[in-house]
Amino acid sequence: MLKLENFDAETFLRDYWQKKPLFIRNPWNEWHNPLEPDELAGLACEDDIESRLVIQADDDWKVEHGPLAESRFSDLGNRHWTLLVQAVDHYVSQVAALIQPFRFIPDWRIDDVMVSYAAEDGGVGPHFDQYDVFLIQGLGKRRWQVGAVCDENSKLISNDQLKLLAEFEALDEWVCEPGDILYIPPGLSHNGVALGQDCMTYSIGFRAPSKTDLLSHWVDEKPADIEDDRYSDPDLEMQENPGEILPKAIDRLHNMVTANLADRDDFAEWFGRYNSAVKYPEVDWAPENPMSTEKLLSEIRAGQALKKNPASRYSFIRHRSNALVLFVDGEMFECAKDVVKLAETICALDEIDDPMNYAKSSNAIALLNLLYNQGSLYLDKK
Ligand code: SIN
Ligand code: CO
């Protein structure tokens, strides 16, 4: 398993996380670039995979969205362009393995691993992101500069596709070599430029829901489960000015809107499902033929391991006595008794080496079966 040597996660969380950038000189025991440039180019040609090509020409930035034609790479030249591919961790297990050392940050905050390949001087220009990111240099060299903290009022250059800062002054800089890591907190402006050819960077990206995201998604999804009710005022009394909406009416109306939102347990269940929804719902990972519980049992009895689909999102909450609610890819599973241990294990590990140890009750087997049939688990050799 990949590990960061001489890196103290507690100190990092206390002093740097969401506060200031940190450059970490190659903390890996031995660094191997987990993906070849031509494999990345291959992914950018796939229909279901989100990719972008950013080309800089005479101070103008152009973006082309994937899927790209294979022939596109031959006429790009050898300077001033970069290819960016999202969620490579969903497709390449060695790239998914890069997330492991950063799991001192909870899984529900993780977004994906974006991989970039840049020709000499290539980059996406000075910008800031809404989210925390660990930028791991995979291959070649990149000069990273960081500047001021920005927000929605920061001036941008006019470009339809890229949000590039009109003003960027470097306050610090590092040259990242293979294995080096740069942590950048949300809002901090940064600019990475490839020094030489074959520069590959792996961005472990995080996510944090915004207040408007939470509210608008809640309002979109929840009312369907809520029993509808209409304002009523059987106690209506005469009022002095018919134009006034009396405080008592406002209280009732406000309560109609907030009562459901104020139910913390209900909110927790909704949030778990919402947050665990897959990043790319158009990609169907479910097996072509659903498997019966008997067949699944015989497969795991025969020694197969169950592995988590790297594109799947797993999390859980503990609530309502000693039960646990598991969320996987937008679905919710109430777990009790032995299934609690199973759910905790699935969430903590990438694979269940010996599923027979957990598949002891019919409820546990049923859960594994559901997860298998929705494409969140798959069978593989140990
Ligand atoms: C890159 O890998 O070139 C861009 C990553 C970033 O700046 O967020
Ligand atoms: Co960035």
Side-chain angles (χ1 to χ4, degrees):
M1 201 199 289
L2 286 173
K3 262 183 73 187
L4 305 177
E5 305 284 333
N6 302 320
F7 173 81
D8 182 45
E10 266 176 53
T11 311
F12 171 80
L13 290 178
R14 191 192 60 208
D15 297 342
Y16 298 95
W17 174 250
Q18 301 232 306
K19 299 166 197 78
K20 54 184 181 188
L22 176 67
F23 173 75
I24 311 166
R25 178 70 75 196
N26 193 348
W28 316 88
N29 211 349
E30 235 179 291
W31 173 253
H32 298 283
N33 179 41
L35 186 70
E36 292 302 317
D38 57 345
E39 292 176 290
L40 185 72
L43 292 175
C45 302
E46 301 271 341
D47 275 342
D48 286 333
I49 301 183
E50 188 186 344
S51 62
R52 283 167 300 156
L53 194 55
V54 178
I55 305 166
Q56 190 189 8
D58 308 321
D59 264 354
D60 189 20
W61 300 80
K62 292 207 170 60
V63 182
E64 291 172 28
H65 292 273
L68 303 170
E70 247 180 85
S71 55
R72 185 67 189 96
F73 296 103
S74 49
D75 47 33
L76 282 170
N78 54 10
R79 289 188 66 196
H80 293 298
W81 62 268
T82 182
L83 168 71
L84 304 116
V85 184
Q86 290 299 143
V88 176
D89 53 313
H90 294 189
Y91 298 93
V92 184
S93 58
Q94 291 91 326
V95 173
L98 292 178
I99 297 175
Q100 199 60 40
F102 299 97
R103 287 183 74 208
F104 56 90
I105 298 153
D107 294 344
W108 73 268
R109 297 291 311 278
I110 294 170
D111 186 9
D112 69 342
V113 185
M114 180 187 80
V115 185
S116 69
Y117 172 89
E120 184 161 10
D121 292 326
V124 296
H127 67 281
F128 68 98
D129 300 305
Q130 304 284 351
Y131 309 118
D132 310 80
V133 65
F134 289 95
L135 301 155
I136 308 172
Q137 191 61 24
L139 191 68
K141 287 187 195 178
R142 184 188 287 276
R143 188 189 64 228
W144 281 107
Q145 296 181 316
V146 297
V149 174
C150 298
D151 59 25
E152 63 280 8
N153 301 316
S154 305
K155 250 201 263 151
L156 303 177
I157 64 167
S158 83
N159 185 300
D160 300 344
Q161 311 250 26
L162 291 169
K163 287 189 167 170
L164 296 179
L165 290 164
E167 288 149 24
F168 175 76
E169 192 198 332
L171 300 175
D172 214 341
E173 70 170 58
W174 301 271
V175 172
C176 284
E177 302 202 9
D180 292 348
I181 304 176
L182 179 63
Y183 163 73
I184 304 213
L188 189 74
S189 58
H190 54 283
N191 189 26
V193 177
L195 303 179
Q197 292 296 334
D198 282 341
C199 167
M200 284 182 84
T201 305
Y202 297 77
S203 306
I204 316 283
F206 292 82
R207 59 199 173 121
S210 72
K211 207 190 306 189
T212 46
D213 273 354
L214 286 176
L215 270 173
S216 62
H217 283 99
W218 194 91
V219 165
D220 261 1
E221 294 160 33
K222 278 306 288 181
D225 309 338
I226 293 171
E227 213 180 304
D228 204 6
D229 214 355
R230 197 167 285 276
Y231 181 82
S232 69
D233 48 5
D235 51 352
L236 186 67
E237 285 170 0
M238 303 287 288
Q239 64 183 62
E240 213 176 289
N241 185 336
E244 183 177 359
I245 309 171
L246 287 178
K248 191 168 157 189
I250 295 287
D251 287 347
R252 263 188 198 163
L253 291 160
H254 187 221
N255 186 50
M256 282 172 77
V257 174
T258 54
N260 292 95
L261 254 176
D263 183 333
R264 191 188 170 283
D265 286 348
D266 192 58
F267 173 81
E269 286 182 359
W270 168 78
F271 179 74
R273 279 188 285 115
Y274 162 72
N275 186 76
S276 74
V278 288
K279 188 173 170 80
Y280 296 104
E282 62 279 16
V283 183
D284 184 7
W285 294 96
E288 223 164 277
N289 301 308
M291 196 179 269
S292 66
T293 40
E294 294 73 29
K295 175 88 176 108
L296 183 69
L297 254 181
S298 77
E299 293 286 343
I300 56 182
R301 261 196 206 113
Q304 294 261 62
L306 274 169
K307 299 193 176 169
K308 263 169 29 187
N309 177 354
S312 287
R313 288 176 161 167
Y314 285 74
S315 54
F316 69 86
I317 54 171
R318 290 182 207 281
H319 87 155
R320 295 188 179 136
S321 66
N322 54 1
L324 170 157
V325 186
L326 172 69
F327 305 102
V328 187
D329 298 338
E331 299 296 327
M332 172 173 114
F333 307 91
E334 305 236 16
C335 306
K337 299 184 188 149
D338 61 315
V339 191
V340 169
K341 184 84 201 126
L342 169 62
E344 287 169 343
T345 308
I346 306 181
C347 285
L349 304 177
D350 281 342
E351 61 180 83
I352 311 177
D353 241 4
D354 196 355
M356 277 321 285
N357 277 343
Y358 300 94
K360 285 188 175 140
S361 70
S362 57
N363 283 344
I365 297 159
L367 175 63
L368 292 174
N369 194 229
L370 277 167
L371 294 176
Y372 177 86
N373 284 336
Q374 73 172 34
S376 310
L377 284 176
Y378 65 96
L379 285 164
D380 202 9
K381 285 188 275 299
K382 279 185 191 166

